[in-house]
Amino acid sequence: MPRVTSLLPALLIVLLPGPGRGYFPEERWSPESPLLAPRVVLAVACRNSAHSLPLFLGAIERLDYPKDRIALWVATDHNIDNTTAILRDWLIKVQNDYHYVEWRPQEEPRAFEDEPGPKHWSNLRYEHVMKLRQAALETAREMWADYLLVADCDNLLTHTDTLWKLMSENKTIVAPMLESRAAYSNFWCGMTSQGYYKRTPAYMPIRRQEQRGCFAVPMVHSTYLVDLQKEASRQLAFYPPHPEYSWALDDVIVFAYSARMADVQMYVCNKETYGYLPVPVRSHATLQDEVESFVHTQLEIMVKHPPLEPSSLLSLPPKQPNKIGFDEVFMINLVRRSDRRERMLRSLYEQELSCKVVAAVDGKALNKTDIESMRIKMLPGYKDPYHSRPLTKGELGCFLSHYNIWKEVADRGLQASLVIEDDLRFEVFFKRRLQTLLQEVTKHKLDWDLIYIGRKRMQVDHQEKSVPNIHNIVEADYSYWTLGYLLSLQGAQKLLRAEPLNKLLPVDEFLPVMYNKHPVSEYMDHFEVRDLRAFSAEPLLVFPTHYTGDQGYISDTETSVVWDNETVKTDWDRAKSRKTQEQGELSFEAQNSDVLQSELENWSARDEL
């Protein structure tokens, strides 16, 4: 009997009809297979893009979309760098992965007749780009492609589902909003009656993602998706311009006008972070300026995301890091903050800067015995100016970390050093600006001890004094933060001679005391000699990665405990501590407008356009 029972389930499976089975042959069926992904033509026209192609192509490879449903349309010409060779090498290696490859290289000429430099957009160049885009559009139509994806060769799509996300919006022309270091992005919210850019109140809420969604706009450019299944898309054209077109000869404006005349609305979507693009350099800039601007885009990506890796199919020459004229570059990092350490080391490497990693003193690990053994005493009467609390263990660890570097500078006799913390982000052209600053103070024999390259100005009532004949430097007034500073041997010796461990206060309060600019005279009275020669870069070269209240903000100095009582926690950063808030906008009277500015400041705009 048990044997019969065990056979019963098997008999039921055989006898009862299930999915795909029927009592008679004509009743049998199979589940339908899923639809194939839509066919996409990726149109890429590259010029002098050797610096951006490894990352750009790596991002294309990582798109989560079937490669056999993508056709590559690639053109390059008028190059003075290695763009053609890089593209050819990559296309040879991926041609079997993609549905189709159309390759349009042109070795000569290397420049347009009417352009003074490689970053100048002349009429011949505009017309040439429009013809290329039109050829790509016609290829897509001839192949019966469902979509055309236009992408500039320095636009980095970090979101692997970007294609699927854009398709799901069901728009004829839709762009993923791309991030940059500035207000600039790949869309306009306003356009004048002559087709030029127009500022509107709608732009910044979209750009800052204060409002999220897909928004109707008069212009998208750089990277966008065109749905060729839409009937109205048949009327779109990049070239020639519409018969009624009378605006400037500009490829993006011509296409926007074409969309308008076809009654096609352009859209930009900012629901997620889809990718990044560099802010365009000025027309008189050099190719090297563009290279450094693109490197800065890489660094900005790493502030919030893992580093973007280049295509594994390309062999890249190793970078050659150096100290750019400093005797030492110190980077302070808590051992337990490995994420910050890795980001900073990668950021420095991408800029070809070498450094010595200094293990920060972890204030949380210090106990009262440790503090007594170092003969540390707190400055009598010190209280945090915003919260009226004593020094925290985090602030104690921060001070000791900098103090140990001052000792090493003095012990090794280092004439000029750079000290940076691990929670900073770099300004564009950082390396070149820093080199120029060091060269100028050396050339003009400036008597300096310390030069801030990142700080928060606390004296905001009047200007700081500019330094004659030296670009981008002022005499520092009361300031917070020790994100980054240049330190001379003489400066380190002055700081050590003050014996600060006997009357300790936070390091960013101690430094203004030493250059005689602290507003609390009672603190300064404890230090008889206050002759530190302190200056600051203007504008600054580094900024915090996060400010109080930002997503991902963590402070190891503010979020801590009182130095001599672990039961008293100091979690003021979550209550928006004023000390770690972003620098507020300075009044006209307080702006350092008399500072001698270098040409680089004209090449690093932060505007929308």
Side-chain angles (χ1 to χ4, degrees), residues 379-430:
L379 185 76
Y382 171 76
K383 289 185 178 180
D384 179 89
Y386 294 115
H387 307 292
S388 298
R389 53 139 171 93
L391 198 79
T392 69
K393 278 195 172 184
E395 289 171 328
L396 174 56
C398 180
F399 192 105
L400 292 175
S401 301
H402 286 271
Y403 181 84
N404 290 341
I405 289 176
W406 304 341
K407 285 181 60 180
E408 183 172 340
V409 168
D411 292 344
R412 292 173 58 189
L414 303 177
Q415 294 298 321
S417 301
L418 173 64
V419 182
I420 53 177
E421 296 180 342
D422 65 359
D423 56 348
L424 58 79
R425 69 200 304 168
F426 298 92
E427 180 66 310
V428 66
F429 303 127
F430 168 78

Side-chain angles (χ1 to χ4, degrees), residues 338-534:
S338 59
D339 55 334
R340 291 182 176 180
R341 181 170 61 255
E342 291 167 7
R343 183 190 71 84
M344 280 295 294
L345 288 175
R346 180 66 177 269
S347 296
L348 291 169
Y349 175 78
E350 294 297 343
Q351 298 176 90
E352 296 192 273
L353 285 168
S354 60
C355 75
K356 176 181 180 179
V357 179
V358 177
V361 176
D362 194 342
K364 289 185 177 180
L366 294 174
N367 55 42
K368 199 168 184 179
T369 303
D370 296 328
I371 296 170
E372 290 174 352
S373 68
M374 289 184 278
R375 299 180 180 179
I376 294 174
K377 296 179 181 179
M378 301 302 148
L379 185 76
Y382 171 76
K383 289 185 178 180
D384 179 89
Y386 294 115
H387 307 292
S388 298
R389 53 139 171 93
L391 198 79
T392 69
K393 278 195 172 184
E395 289 171 328
L396 174 56
C398 180
F399 192 105
L400 292 175
S401 301
H402 286 271
Y403 181 84
N404 290 341
I405 289 176
W406 304 341
K407 285 181 60 180
E408 183 172 340
V409 168
D411 292 344
R412 292 173 58 189
L414 303 177
Q415 294 298 321
S417 301
L418 173 64
V419 182
I420 53 177
E421 296 180 342
D422 65 359
D423 56 348
L424 58 79
R425 69 200 304 168
F426 298 92
E427 180 66 310
V428 66
F429 303 127
F430 168 78
K431 182 178 179 181
R432 202 191 320 177
R433 284 171 157 170
L434 187 59
Q435 282 179 302
T436 301
L437 179 63
L438 183 60
Q439 290 167 0
E440 287 213 31
V441 298
T442 303
K443 175 184 175 182
H444 293 280
K445 298 180 180 180
L446 180 68
D447 182 18
W448 67 276
D449 296 324
L450 180 145
I451 303 176
Y452 289 104
I453 61 170
R455 60 170 179 153
K456 179 177 182 178
R457 271 186 65 184
M458 301 306 293
Q459 181 286 109
V460 293
D461 295 327
H462 54 80
Q463 290 185 11
E464 294 171 304
K465 187 177 179 181
S466 60
V467 179
N469 303 319
I470 302 181
H471 293 89
N472 306 115
I473 192 168
V474 294
E475 294 183 13
D477 211 316
Y478 181 39
S479 304
Y480 271 167
W481 303 343
T482 49
L483 290 171
Y485 56 90
L486 280 60
L487 183 66
S488 70
L489 174 59
Q490 176 180 266
Q493 291 169 340
K494 287 181 179 180
L495 295 173
L496 294 172
R497 278 199 296 267
E499 299 183 347
L501 299 190
N502 294 335
K503 41 209 169 185
L504 201 69
L505 70 169
V507 66
D508 55 0
E509 301 278 12
F510 172 64
L511 293 179
V513 165
M514 290 303 294
Y515 58 82
N516 206 37
K517 292 290 186 179
H518 202 288
V520 182
S521 59
E522 290 82 358
Y523 298 166
M524 294 203 293
D525 290 343
H526 289 275
F527 300 88
E528 184 176 349
V529 180
R530 304 185 297 273
D531 61 350
L532 192 74
R533 295 275 293 159

Side-chain angles (χ1 to χ4, degrees), residues 166 173-177 186 220-221 223-225 267-270 274:
L166 296 180
I173 302 175
V174 60
M177 189 191 79
N186 59 321
V220 295
H221 58 85
T223 294
Y224 50 89
L225 188 70
Y267 289 86
V268 65
C269 292
N270 70 347
Y274 302 99

Side-chain angles (χ1 to χ4, degrees), residues 139-150:
T139 296
R141 286 169 173 162
E142 291 167 3
M143 294 178 60
W144 296 94
D146 299 305
Y147 292 93
L148 173 70
L149 175 64
V150 176

Side-chain angles (χ1 to χ4, degrees), residues 531-572:
D531 61 350
L532 192 74
R533 295 275 293 159
F535 300 86
S536 175
E538 178 67 34
L540 297 170
L541 306 186
V542 296
F543 296 87
T545 54
H546 300 83
Y547 295 100
T548 302
D550 286 354
Q551 184 177 357
Y553 171 76
I554 299 174
S555 171
D556 292 302
T557 54
E558 295 289 306
T559 306
S560 186
V561 294
V562 171
W563 74 276
D564 60 349
N565 189 343
E566 294 189 3
T567 64
V568 181
K569 294 186 177 182
T570 60
D571 203 15
W572 288 286

Side-chain angles (χ1 to χ4, degrees), residues 2 58 85 158 162 241 272 402 535 602:
T158 55
T162 296
E272 303 183 49
H402 286 271
F535 300 86
N602 298 323

Side-chain angles (χ1 to χ4, degrees), residues 148-185:
L148 173 70
L149 175 64
V150 176
D152 284 355
C153 300
D154 57 1
N155 289 195
L156 303 174
L157 295 175
T158 55
H159 198 310
T160 57
D161 285 335
T162 296
L163 262 175
W164 290 113
K165 298 282 185 182
L166 296 180
M167 289 176 183
S168 68
E169 298 299 336
N170 192 28
K171 309 293 186 187
T172 307
I173 302 175
V174 60
M177 189 191 79
L178 301 180
E179 300 282 338
S180 78
R181 64 180 172 83
Y184 178 78
S185 188

